[in-house]
Amino acid sequence: MKEQLEAIQVEALEKIAGTDEIKTLQEVRVAYLGKKGSLTGVLKGMGKLSKEERPVIGEIANKVRDAITAALDEKNEKLEQKALEKQLEAEAIDVTLPGKPVNQGGPHLLTSIVEEIEDLFTGMGYEVREGPEVETDYFNFEALNLPKDHPARDMQDTFYITNELLMRTHTSPVQARTMQEYQGGKSFKMICPGKVYRRDNDDATHSHQFTQIEGLYVDKNVRMSDLKGTLDVFAKKMFGEDREIRLRPSFFPFTEPSVEMDISCKVCKGAGCSVCKGTGWIEILGGGMVHPRVLEMAGYDPKEYSGFAFGMGPERIAMLKYGVNDIRAFYTNDKRFLKQYHQA
């Protein structure tokens, strides 16, 4: 039996060495180590051996099995590596070839305008604040000096969820929330960008949904001249250093006095044309000094503190700056329109 085991080992190692395919190697494994394999058949005859011979033959059989197994594993590893190298060679990619072009998007024009305005005002010390689009009647109207029976509410008719919850009509509630947060104990500068909603008929210059950026500065001894200086810097940075501004008296419930700001027409340089309707000026935003009543409701003493506020629409600014003639173009997702302003 010892000679049989040694012969099986020699024969198995020769076949393993001569095998060049993984499938054939598995067949060799089964032929020698399987249930009906050569080595298994010899081991079944160990029951006929004497007690003295069994340990000796058993030790030899284990060495033979270990030698065949080790040779099989080593050969299998080499064949797998060879197969992998062959596959990689067959599937090789020429990385020097030019790749397929990938269409790249860009920021929406309104996003670019909002970010440009944010950068401008943060550079002047303003912080950017956001608030909920679903707002309470109190913060959207009452905290801004618009009680429930105030006729000025008609100009900001909106979408109501309940009698006390609505889609905000402006970002001014963020200003009211900020002032109430500080309870009259802190000076601050802030702007609040975001979407707003009004029940309006959509056309070339109106939309039921649009974006708005409002600013607020509260401190001691804030004057109208501070507001004018701030807006003058804004106009020149956004539309060009040669732009002039003018302030016209207006009315807003939350500011007193209130103004509308116009910029000089960039087309006619103030001479009058169809763009500015012959006036030489184009309306751009509204603002004014914060109403004393609004300061009081937020916990500020109007005898000690004052402030100014302003509000603008990024859509209108984009339309004037880039010559867009229909506000609906910002929201119809026409890629032909959007691609024009990726580098704006």
Side-chain angles (χ1 to χ4, degrees), residues 307-318:
F308 64 71
F310 56 86
M312 64 189 76
E315 286 91 345
R316 179 161 180 76
I317 293 172

Side-chain angles (χ1 to χ4, degrees), residues 25-70:
L25 187 66
Q26 295 304 318
E27 292 174 353
V28 172
R29 184 187 295 273
V30 173
Y32 288 94
L33 302 181
K35 290 182 178 181
K36 297 181 181 180
S38 301
L39 181 59
T40 305
V42 173
L43 294 178
K44 287 180 179 178
M46 288 185 63
K48 300 177 182 179
L49 300 175
S50 64
K51 294 182 179 179
E52 292 78 13
E53 292 177 313
R54 287 177 189 172
V56 177
I57 298 301
E59 183 179 354
I60 296 173
N62 288 334
K63 290 181 178 179
V64 171
R65 181 188 291 108
D66 292 343
I68 294 174
T69 300

Side-chain angles (χ1 to χ4, degrees), residues 105-135:
H108 193 282
L109 179 56
L110 291 181
T111 301
S112 298
I113 289 290
V114 170
E115 290 178 349
E116 186 177 355
I117 295 172
E118 288 179 348
D119 289 343
L120 171 59
F121 280 99
T122 54
M124 291 192 287
Y126 287 72
E127 63 173 323
V128 179
R129 287 215 163 203
E130 296 181 344
E133 293 179 21
V134 178
E135 190 53 274

Side-chain angles (χ1 to χ4, degrees), residues 141-195:
F141 291 124
E142 294 182 47
L144 299 169
N145 201 33
L146 279 158
K148 292 187 181 298
D149 58 350
H150 201 293
R153 284 197 181 201
D154 294 341
M155 295 186 296
Q156 297 192 24
D157 194 13
T158 185
F159 303 96
Y160 281 83
I161 299 171
T162 67
N163 289 335
E164 296 299 326
L165 282 179
L166 49 85
M167 304 301 292
R168 67 182 181 185
T169 61
H170 45 191
T171 57
S172 300
V174 184
Q175 300 175 342
R177 288 177 176 273
T178 302
M179 285 192 291
Q180 291 206 9
E181 176 186 336
Y182 294 146
Q183 285 295 306
K186 183 177 180 181
S187 303
F188 65 92
K189 293 179 177 179
M190 62 165 286
I191 58 170
C192 38
K195 289 185 290 187

Side-chain angles (χ1 to χ4, degrees), residues 220-244:
K220 297 177 180 179
N221 301 316
V222 177
R223 302 178 297 272
M224 177 67 79
S225 57
D226 297 320
L227 172 61
K228 183 178 180 181
T230 300
L231 297 181
D232 186 54
V233 170
F234 163 76
K236 285 178 167 52
K237 294 296 184 182
M238 288 298 296
F239 298 101
E241 293 295 331
D242 59 340
R243 287 292 156 269
E244 299 294 333

